[in-house]
Amino acid sequence: MAKMLEFRQLSKKYPGTVSPAVDNFNLDVEQGELIVLIGPSGCGKTTTLRMINRLIEPSSGTLIVEGRDYRTYNAVDLRRRLGYVIQRIGLLPHLTIAENITFVLKLSGVDRTSRQKRAIELLEMVGLEPAEYLDRYPKELSGGQQQRIGVLRALAHDPDIILMDEPFGALDPLMREQLQEEFKRLQQNVAKTIIFVTHDMDEALSMADRIVLMRDGGIVQVAEPEEILRHPADEFVASFIGRFRVLRQASEVSVGEVMLTGPVTIGAHQGLAQAMELMRRRRVNTLLVRDTTKTFIGMVSQASVRHHFEAGETFKVSMIAEMPQKTLKPDDTALTAMHQMLEGNDLELIPVLNDDGKLMGLITRGSLVGLLGDALRVAAEVDPSSRSSEGAS
Amino acid sequence: MTLLSHTWQFFMAHPSQVWRATVQQLYLVAIPMALAIVLAIPLTILSTRIRWLYGPVIGFANGLQTIPSLALLALMIAIGMGIGTFPAIVALLLYALMPIIRNTYVGIMGVDDGVKDAARGMGVTTWQMLWIVELPLALRVIIAGIRSALVTTIGFATLAALIGAGGLGQLIMEGMGMASNSIVLAGTIPAIILAFLGDAIMGKLENVLTPRGLKG
Ligand SMILES: Nc1ncnc2c1ncn2[C@@H]1O[C@H](COP(=O)(O)OP(=O)(O)OP(=O)(O)O)[C@@H](O)[C@H]1O
Ligand SMILES: [Mg+2]
């Protein structure tokens, strides 16, 4: 596939600053790729993006745009070849929607009829009724509608490359999600090469073909979303993913922090009918059996309780309680919990006991969902074939 | 009522004198205004590009505005320009600069950065930025500046008679010299009408020239 953009040791140091805003940036972008630049505020995302359309001149290194060094383009011509969408939208308030959408076409001298036709075509693409919107002015549109026009404006002249700087950043979450979806659909049809800046990891994960994670002007990791979740390059990446996804290193989180503290328990002396009723009422299929001192005695499953109950037995629950294969202590790490859950033939839940055998809480899969990134890694480490053989033995 | 009828009689008896004074008055307003616009707007546009220029430019215009109008006229004589229409036009022109410079600068600098950034990113040239982005968006504010300069100039122009520039002020001064209120009014009434007319026309212009997308 053709390379659309080749960054070669691209760097930018603003005059009067100590360290470069972008430092030795290297990347090849294939045609049709959607690259997301992400990283903490001030890491150089916008600077990188704006060097592509020469709104900022690089200090050193070079950039090859569609096979040609950026310096061989006239800056104005280069910009008219690209699409540009910014967070502040920046529609021209004194121009109609039609005029805004076809602004670049007008700059390039395309005639009025063709421009009008193109505006109609694009509005239809995003489901905005042309008759209603063509002659409106930007301020007569909602923020979400305005940014739709902002995106259409970047598509109007059919550029090969589109630059987007936090295009949905100013929208409320619902609107943002809607525009993301819409944009993904649009992208499936137009298949542009897109450089997309965001600070929203969810957005990056859902939009990107590849994510470029930046820090202090440099690239920390370039990878597909799945890969970055599975194998964060270093602590920084892991914590960056964590910060945005509420994912934390499972090895740093204790079982005590993530366990459920109010599991449904039943006293050892209670009967099977009471157990059935409790399960129905609390909508659970396992009960933790404890004695009056909260000492853990075992677990009973719904199947087992029903079986004994229907057989007409009058046992107390303590008599059918079974000790689970695995238990955890509050200060075990969540990573241990994950390993146990996966190794224990995909257990649904593991009770957490203190050193005196008293019941402290419960770990379920749900309590570990927030640690998904690490779970994927654990799953990859625990070889599936060894797990099934272990289960069979 | 007798005063008004006397004034009317004066109008009827000396139509050409009143007319000549009014036409002179129009020149005294139109010429300095035209010059002020032609001078102030490009100079201010230049100082939106070369920022350090704005300080001295607006400082100069502001300084002129703080000089009482009468004193400015006297100053024209003092610096050796003598009396007559020319020094009056220079004084009026200098006095009209400030509102135009200030509003042009505020108007252009007030154009949203996001709009300018988007426009630049879409490939407008420096000239296009000025002509199709900045000026249309600043136009309303610039016109408001011209309007306020115009109102001041019309008022100031009647004073210009003091240094022999003629116009309606001349008529007013003659009336005062002869202690004739009717002659004073014969100069005052057209002056007032001119002021209102000027303001109304500028108001209309402001409205017409404001793009629909910026109204409301
Ligand atoms: N015009 C400028 N002059 C000097 N320093 C600048 C300029 N623009 C940006 N910087 C600095 O360069 C660094 C990178 O800025 P940049 O805008 O590229 O960051 P960013 O990753 O886009 O951040 P954000 O997520 O906040 O938008 C920052 O430290 C910033 O302060
Ligand atoms: Mg930025």
Side-chain angles (χ1 to χ4, degrees), chain A residues 285-286 341 344-350 362-367:
Chain A
N285 53 21
T286 309
M341 210 160 250
N345 206 12
D346 285 348
L347 289 175
E348 293 288 334
L349 37 80
I350 305 176
L362 184 67
I363 287 288
T364 66
R365 299 190 156 198
S367 14

Side-chain angles (χ1 to χ4, degrees), chain A residues 42 45-47 165-166 197:
Chain A
K45 307 181 289 292
T46 297
T47 304
D165 196 346
E166 303 196 34
V197 167

Side-chain angles (χ1 to χ4, degrees), chain A residues 51-52 54 57-58 61-79 81:
Chain A
M51 283 193 281
I52 302 172
R54 295 189 72 173
E57 285 297 323
T62 189
L63 174 67
I64 294 160
V65 183
E66 296 187 58
R68 278 169 57 191
D69 187 289
Y70 78 97
R71 280 165 295 212
T72 66
Y73 292 94
N74 169 285
V76 165
D77 293 340
L78 177 64
R79 288 170 200 155
R81 288 175 72 112

